[in-house]
Amino acid sequence: MSSLRQRSHITHNGVPSLLLQPDYHHKPFPFFFVETAFSEEQCVALELLFSQDNAWQHQDGVFYRCSLCDVTADISATFQVEILNKMREITGLPLVDRMLVTVQRMLPGHAIGVHSDRPLLGYEIARLVVQLNKQWQPEHGGVLQLFSSPQGEAVFSVNPEYNKAVGFLLHADSYHAVTEVSQPRQSVVFNFWHIANTPELAAHIVALFANLSFSEFPAALNPIASAAESSLAEEVTFRAGTAAIALHRWGYDAATIVSGYQHSAGLSTCDASNAETYAAVLLADWVAYLYRDTFDLIRWNLLQHALIGIKMFPRLTPTWRLCLPEYKI
């Protein structure tokens, strides 16, 4: 998991920037918090979002009880750019030039159970939560808790005090929860996307695997797949089969498809001597993993490193550009 960067705060025209002096932590997963997130003027503007006649979505399940409203359009473009740039600086991640901002309201009796919000295909990678609760007291509840596992005790807790912010990276083990509240709790949540796991990529991969059928396998792969299914876990063979389908739909021959299946199933390692075959197999393995599992920063960084210096081949170009986009700060 990528770690949060530690840098000194910056100023603009002599005025301190937002999210100053973040306090970094790496357990139970990478996160930071800031005691004073925004200026008083910015906080007042954010508080006004709760008084507008917005279209609230009410969640009243056993696990998740709160009300949410998308207010992205009400956040000025300038403020969004400032927050994006600061989050890029703090996290060290290449974030896309857009965000989703929601206001969250919890009423007495509301709580949010332990969950991870792992970044599935097209999901956000980072989150910033800003609290707007004046005169908060411990008996009011609404404490953000961070866990190392869904069954364990909280490793770290952050009180929902006014203008305090918490930012964290989302992954399979970013377990967190909010304790039950006895007084109304207000927070603003900023969501950010990694450039290599965008909604556009999600649409592309869903289209790539539309009407997925392993009957598309070339005859040469059938005995290999049958043998693998008798000895390997279903999730492994499904991912390997999905990678093979990607290679087939990209127009590769049977030998490349077999090589891709064996690589994704862990039966063999793809030979790097043929650059296009190597790139195609690695890219197929990655999109199959995304389709079946989550966006994993470590795996993505390994893919990026493996394909450095290899040219973008025509039949792979649409997928390549979405999975490994060029990023300029």
Side-chain angles (χ1 to χ4, degrees):
M1 188 67 193
S2 174
S3 61
L4 298 171
R5 288 184 178 176
Q6 299 192 33
R7 295 185 179 180
S8 60
H9 64 266
I10 59 175
T11 61
H12 179 66
N13 294 331
V15 179
S17 67
L18 45 74
L19 299 176
L20 290 179
Q21 298 178 324
D23 188 350
Y24 298 88
H25 295 261
H26 298 281
K27 293 182 179 180
F29 50 83
F31 76 96
F32 69 91
F33 69 88
V34 179
E35 292 290 349
T36 304
F38 299 137
S39 69
E40 182 177 346
E41 180 182 3
Q42 290 166 337
C43 287
V44 169
L46 292 174
E47 285 184 280
L48 289 175
L49 298 174
F50 290 88
S51 61
Q52 296 180 9
D53 186 18
N54 293 315
W56 289 87
Q57 296 180 352
H58 303 287
Q59 308 290 333
D60 196 25
V62 174
F63 161 76
Y64 195 79
R65 286 173 287 162
C66 66
S67 296
L68 302 167
C69 182
D70 182 352
V71 295
T72 309
D74 298 307
I75 306 295
S76 74
T78 300
F79 191 41
Q80 289 193 37
V81 169
E82 290 176 350
I83 295 174
L84 264 171
N85 287 338
K86 191 63 179 182
M87 285 296 290
R88 286 170 178 150
E89 176 193 340
I90 292 173
T91 65
L93 294 176
L95 304 174
V96 298
D97 289 327
R98 66 168 178 261
M99 66 175 72
L100 172 68
V101 187
T102 61
V103 287
Q104 182 186 81
R105 176 183 290 146
M106 299 179 70
L107 299 177
H110 284 177
I112 299 175
V114 180
H115 63 292
S116 70
D117 286 329
R118 63 191 182 120
L120 300 173
L121 178 62
Y123 280 36
E124 62 268 31
I125 188 67
R127 184 168 295 158
L128 175 70
V129 182
V130 181
Q131 303 294 341
L132 295 173
N133 307 292
K134 292 181 177 178
Q135 300 178 335
W136 178 86
Q137 298 296 323
E139 59 268 23
H140 295 167
V143 176
L144 175 64
Q145 297 181 318
L146 309 182
F147 300 81
S148 58
S149 71
Q151 294 82 26
E153 297 293 325
V155 175
F156 199 94
S157 297
V158 183
N159 296 331
E161 296 165 297
Y162 189 79
N163 201 16
K164 178 177 283 189
V166 179
F168 54 97
L169 307 185
L170 298 172
H171 58 98
D173 298 319
S174 57
Y175 294 107
H176 56 284
V178 177
T179 63
E180 184 174 332
V181 302
S182 63
Q183 295 292 324
R185 176 186 188 268
Q186 295 186 153
S187 56
V188 183
V189 183
F190 299 83
N191 298 283
F192 308 89
W193 276 257
H194 192 283
I195 60 167
N197 191 32
T198 61
E200 291 79 9
L201 172 65
H204 176 81
I205 291 181
V206 168
L208 175 65
F209 294 125
N211 302 313
L212 183 69
S213 173
F214 293 155
S215 63
E216 297 177 40
F217 285 171
L221 179 56
N222 288 329
I224 297 171
S226 295
E229 289 167 3
S230 67
S231 60
L232 299 176
E234 181 182 358
E235 64 182 41
V236 173
T237 57
F238 184 91
R239 187 168 65 244
T242 306
I245 294 299
L247 291 164
H248 168 71
R249 293 184 176 182
W250 287 335
Y252 285 97
D253 60 18
T256 302
I257 295 170
V258 169
S259 179
Y261 183 96
Q262 292 176 320
H263 176 86
S264 292
L267 300 173
S268 65
T269 301
C270 181
D271 184 0
S273 60
N274 184 304
E276 182 170 0
T277 297
Y278 181 68
V281 166
L282 265 58
L283 197 58
D285 179 66
W286 173 243
V287 296
Y289 181 84
L290 274 179
Y291 183 71
R292 184 66 172 174
D293 210 302
T294 65
F295 179 81
D296 185 287
L297 272 173
I298 293 177
R299 291 180 70 107
W300 180 76
N301 284 325
L302 289 173
L303 174 70
Q304 187 180 43
H305 179 75
L307 297 183
I308 288 177
I310 298 179
K311 69 177 183 179
M312 195 182 303
F313 299 97
R315 69 181 101 183
L316 298 175
T317 296
T319 306
W320 191 310
R321 283 179 172 166
L322 289 168
C323 290
L324 296 165
E326 294 183 3
Y327 179 67
K328 296 180 180 179
I329 298 177

